Amino acid sequence: MTTPLRAFGPLDQTRTGWQRAALAIGRPGLDLAVQGPDAMPVTMSNHTHNENWFEQLMRPLWGLAAAADAVPDDLWDAVTATIARAVDPGDDWYAGDFHDGAQRCVEAAALGWALATVPERLWEPLAPKAKDHAIAWLAQAYTTGVVDNNWHYFPVLVGHGLDAIGADRDPSIARAHLDRIAEFDLGGGVFKDGPQGRVDYYNPFAFHTYALLHYRLGGDDRFVEPAAEFARSFRSWFAADGAAVPYGRSMGYRFAQGSLWGALAAADVEAVPWGEAAGFSRRLLEWWWDKPILTPDHRLSVGYGYPNDALVEQYLTAGSPWWASKVFTGLLAPEDHPFWNSEPTDLEPETAVFPAAKTIHIRGHDGDVMRLNGQDWREKMRGGKDTYARLAYSSLAGFSRSVDGPGLEAAAPDGALMLSDDGVHWRGREDSVDSRVGEQGLTVAWCPWEDVTIISEVEAFWSGWQVRTHTIETARRLHTGEGAWCVPRDGAETIAGEFAAIATSRGIRSSVIPEDGRERSVIYPVPGTHMYWPATVLPVVTGVLEPGTHVLKARFYVGRHERPA
C-alpha cells in the first residue's frame, strides 16, 4: 500500500496545488468507474453492485466539479459518456430506478451538485436523448422519499441540478425537506442526524457543508448562521498536527472531516478568520497525505488510517471513500480569496464543552485533542458501541473497534472500561442512564447488566493526563479491564511495573497508574482492530470485583512528552 505523498509527491498548499491534489485523488476512481459496473471490485456492502459502481462514478465529482479547470477534457468526455449510459433505463449500465431510501438518492445529490456547478462540462455535451434520460432520472430522485436525517439535503441539491439544466420542478418539495432539517436543530449550530441520531461528523461534512453549498447555488441563507456558529466551535475538533479527533460513524470518508472549512470559502462566509479556516483545512489534508490509504493503483482504499474493511460500517464500499473529495469544495473560491492567501493561524490549548453533543474537547499543550464522550452507541451501525460509546477518543492515538472473541485482546479497551462476568467475554458501555458534561469533566451513568450500575467520572487536562473514577454497584462477580491508549506494536517498548503500565512507540507514550490496587499489564489487541495502526500494544489495568459497591480510580496518559498530571 502507498501514500498520496509517495504516489503524487508533496502537497502544494496553493490553490493550484489543491487543484492538482483533487485531480490526483479523483482520477483513479473515475478511470475505474468509466469502465462500467463489471470493472468494479466486489466488496462488502448493503447496496447492489450497480449502486456501488454508480457511487464510484459520482463521488469524485464533489471535488472535481470544484477543480474543473484542472480536469483534462478527455476525463470530462469519459465521465459525461458514462453518465449518459448510467441514466439510460435501456442500458446495461443503468444506475437503476428509485424507491424510498434508495442509495441512489445519495449519488443523485452529487450529480445535481456537479450539474449545477459545471453544466458546460456535464450537461451541454450530452445528446438530446441523453438529456431527456438525465432529466427523467433526476426527477425521480427529486420526488423520492429519503432517510429521515441529513439525507433531506439530497433532493435539495438535485433541485439545483434540475434548475441548472432548465428542467421543471415543484419548489415546495425542496422547501418541505428544508423544513424537516430545521426540526433537527438542537441550538448552537448543532443538528442531530435524524430523530434518533447522534452529533458527529455529519454536522460538518453533511448538514453544514450542504447548507453552504445550497446558499452558494441559490442564495437561501436559512442555515448559514447555524453553519457559521458550528464552525466557531468546530475549531476544537482539530489537533495542531492537522488530525481531526476520530469519532462516530463514516470515518472511512477520511478527509471529508474538513469539508466545512472549504465550504465556508465556497460560500464566502467568514465564520472564523480566514487564516484559521485555511490552517485547519491545509493541516488536515497534509496529515492524511502521508498515510498509507491508497491501493497500489492509487485509488482510495476502504478503511481509515490504512486499508481495512473491518474499520467501517456496512454501507461503505469501494467507491465510498471519495466522499473525502468534499474537502476540495474550497476550490470554488477564486485564487485571490483570503482562504488561499491567508497565513494559517497557530492553535492554542483549549477546553470546549458541547452540552448538546454530551462532549468535551481538550486540546492540550502538545496540540493533541482528547474527546470526552457521553453519547450512546448506534445499534444499527457495525461497530457502533466503539465508534460512539467509549469514554474517550484521541486525535494522537485514535481508538480501537472490538471484535468477537475471547479475552481482553479482542475487546481492545483503549479509552474504555470493559467488564466480564465469566472472564472470557467482555462488554463495555452501550446505552446510558444519564450523561452530563461541564467544565469539570464528564459524568455518565450506565448499566451493562440489570443488576450492575456504574457511574463513570472523567476529567482530562492540558498535560495529556486523564483521571477516570468508576463507582460500581454489582450483584454479581465481575472481571474488569480498562485501557489507556494503544501505540503501534512495531518498535514498542513496554513496562508493566509496580506502579504503572507503560507503552512507548514512534514518539507516543501511553501509560496508566491505578490508585485502587488493580493489576498493571500490557496486552496485544487483536491485529486490525485499531483505526490508525494494523497492530498495537495497550497498557491496561485489570481486577476482579465481588458483589457489592466498589470505587475504581486510575490516572491515564497519552502524549508525546509525559508531563506532570
Side-chain angles (χ1 to χ4, degrees):
M1 294 299 166
T2 191
T3 67
L5 177 63
R6 180 181 175 189
F8 311 129
L11 178 64
D12 176 0
Q13 293 283 17
T14 65
R15 184 175 181 274
T16 299
W18 271 57
Q19 285 180 316
R20 288 197 294 265
L23 181 60
I25 292 294
R27 177 150 203 168
L30 287 177
D31 282 344
L32 177 67
V34 298
Q35 298 175 50
D38 289 347
M40 279 291 291
V42 175
T43 55
M44 171 206 72
S45 175
N46 59 358
H47 316 315
T48 67
H49 187 73
N50 265 35
E51 285 176 312
N52 295 341
W53 163 72
F54 193 62
E55 188 175 79
Q56 178 72 82
L57 178 65
M58 289 292 103
R59 294 198 172 190
L61 296 180
W62 285 108
L64 294 187
D69 292 342
V71 179
D73 290 343
D74 68 307
L75 184 56
W76 282 125
D77 292 344
V79 170
T80 302
T82 307
I83 290 173
R85 297 191 64 178
V87 297
D88 181 354
D91 197 291
D92 290 342
W93 291 10
Y94 183 50
D97 291 328
F98 288 83
H99 58 80
D100 288 355
Q103 177 65 22
R104 299 171 188 87
C105 298
V106 183
E107 315 322 325
L111 181 56
W113 153 252
L115 286 170
T117 305
V118 285
E120 72 280 6
R121 295 292 191 175
L122 296 177
W123 175 251
E124 293 173 10
L126 291 176
K129 188 173 183 180
K131 289 181 176 179
D132 291 341
H133 289 151
I135 290 172
W137 192 84
L138 287 168
Q140 281 192 69
Y142 184 65
T143 57
T144 296
V146 296
V147 178
D148 190 23
N149 57 13
N150 72 88
W151 280 39
H152 284 285
Y153 267 113
F154 297 151
V156 175
L157 292 168
V158 169
H160 285 299
L162 289 169
D163 291 344
I165 61 179
D168 293 332
R169 66 179 178 95
D170 179 358
S172 68
I173 292 175
R175 285 198 299 269
H177 286 292
L178 293 169
D179 288 344
R180 180 56 175 158
I181 289 166
E183 294 175 8
F184 298 146
D185 189 351
L186 297 174
V190 177
F191 288 72
K192 62 179 179 179
D193 193 18
Q196 306 301 320
R198 304 293 183 264
V199 178
D200 52 24
Y201 278 94
Y202 276 83
N203 265 258
F205 67 41
F207 283 99
H208 297 311
T209 291
Y210 298 147
L212 292 163
L213 299 182
H214 168 61
Y215 169 61
R216 175 187 170 89
L217 293 173
D220 178 6
D221 65 356
R222 179 176 182 178
F223 296 112
V224 168
E225 181 49 39
E229 188 172 5
F230 183 87
R232 289 188 282 272
S233 62
F234 191 42
R235 297 162 158 145
S236 68
W237 297 44
F238 292 86
D241 66 356
V245 60
Y247 168 80
R249 69 186 180 99
S250 297
M251 287 295 93
Y253 299 153
R254 294 185 174 112
F255 38 91
Q257 294 160 325
S259 66
L260 174 57
W261 306 118
L264 288 167
D268 197 26
V269 174
E270 189 175 8
V272 301
W274 287 119
E276 283 194 27
F280 289 127
S281 188
R282 294 176 201 172
R283 286 188 296 263
L284 176 70
L285 192 57
E286 189 79 53
W287 188 86
W288 279 107
W289 209 248
D290 70 347
K291 300 298 182 290
I293 58 175
L294 301 181
T295 64
D297 53 1
H298 299 171
R299 288 186 290 114
L300 290 172
S301 63
V302 177
Y304 191 68
Y306 59 98
N308 185 347
D309 286 14
L311 299 178
V312 301
E313 290 73 25
Q314 64 271 24
Y315 51 82
L316 268 83
T317 184
S320 301
W322 275 267
W323 245 44
S325 300
K326 291 180 180 180
V327 79
F328 296 112
T329 54
L331 290 168
L332 291 168
E335 191 162 358
D336 61 355
H337 193 281
F339 180 74
W340 295 112
N341 297 315
S342 299
E343 285 297 316
T345 303
D346 292 334
L347 302 182
E348 299 293 333
E350 71 167 306
T351 299
V353 181
F354 301 91
K358 302 177 182 178
T359 296
I360 307 170
H361 285 155
I362 300 96
R363 186 190 301 116
H365 291 299
D366 286 343
D368 303 306
V369 176
M370 182 65 64
R371 179 185 179 108
L372 305 186
N373 170 60
Q375 292 195 103
D376 298 339
W377 73 324
R378 287 296 300 270
E379 65 276 8
K380 292 184 179 180
M381 302 299 167
R382 190 172 76 160
K385 67 180 184 299
D386 299 307
T387 54
Y388 282 97
R390 297 202 170 203
L391 292 171
Y393 298 81
S394 167
S395 70
L396 177 63
F399 69 94
S400 299
R401 293 176 63 135
S402 58
V403 294
D404 286 338
L408 202 55
E409 292 79 5
D414 49 349
L417 172 68
M418 300 283 186
L419 304 110
S420 171
D421 59 0
D422 63 4
V424 177
H425 305 94
W426 295 81
R427 65 173 64 179
R429 185 172 72 91
E430 295 174 353
D431 293 318
S432 300
V433 177
D434 183 43
S435 297
R436 285 171 283 127
V437 295
E439 293 291 344
Q440 302 306 311
L442 165 74
T443 301
V444 182
W446 51 294
C447 298
W449 288 271
E450 290 185 357
D451 56 358
V452 178
T453 299
I454 302 174
I455 298 176
S456 297
E457 299 171 278
V458 188
E459 295 180 89
F461 307 93
W462 289 358
S463 61
W465 283 94
Q466 183 179 113
V467 177
R468 300 183 211 149
T469 305
H470 309 282
T471 303
I472 302 174
E473 295 184 10
T474 177
R476 64 179 69 195
R477 191 172 189 262
L478 290 175
H479 299 259
T480 69
E482 187 171 12
W485 283 270
C486 290
V487 300
R489 187 177 301 183
D490 289 346
E493 298 179 359
T494 64
I495 300 172
E498 182 179 356
F499 301 106
I502 303 169
T504 304
S505 180
R506 300 186 196 173
I508 302 173
R509 181 181 178 91
S510 174
S511 60
V512 53
I513 303 174
E515 299 181 5
D516 49 27
R518 280 180 286 176
E519 293 292 323
R520 299 149 301 281
S521 63
V522 176
I523 66 171
Y524 295 81
V526 172
T529 52
H530 197 268
M531 296 292 285
Y532 284 5
W533 307 297
T536 57
V537 296
L538 173 63
V540 299
V541 285
T542 57
V544 178
L545 305 179
E546 299 298 335
T549 300
H550 307 268
V551 177
L552 304 182
K553 184 176 183 179
R555 288 179 288 154
F556 300 85
Y557 174 82
V558 64
R560 305 166 194 267
H561 311 93
E562 187 159 324
R563 303 170 184 268

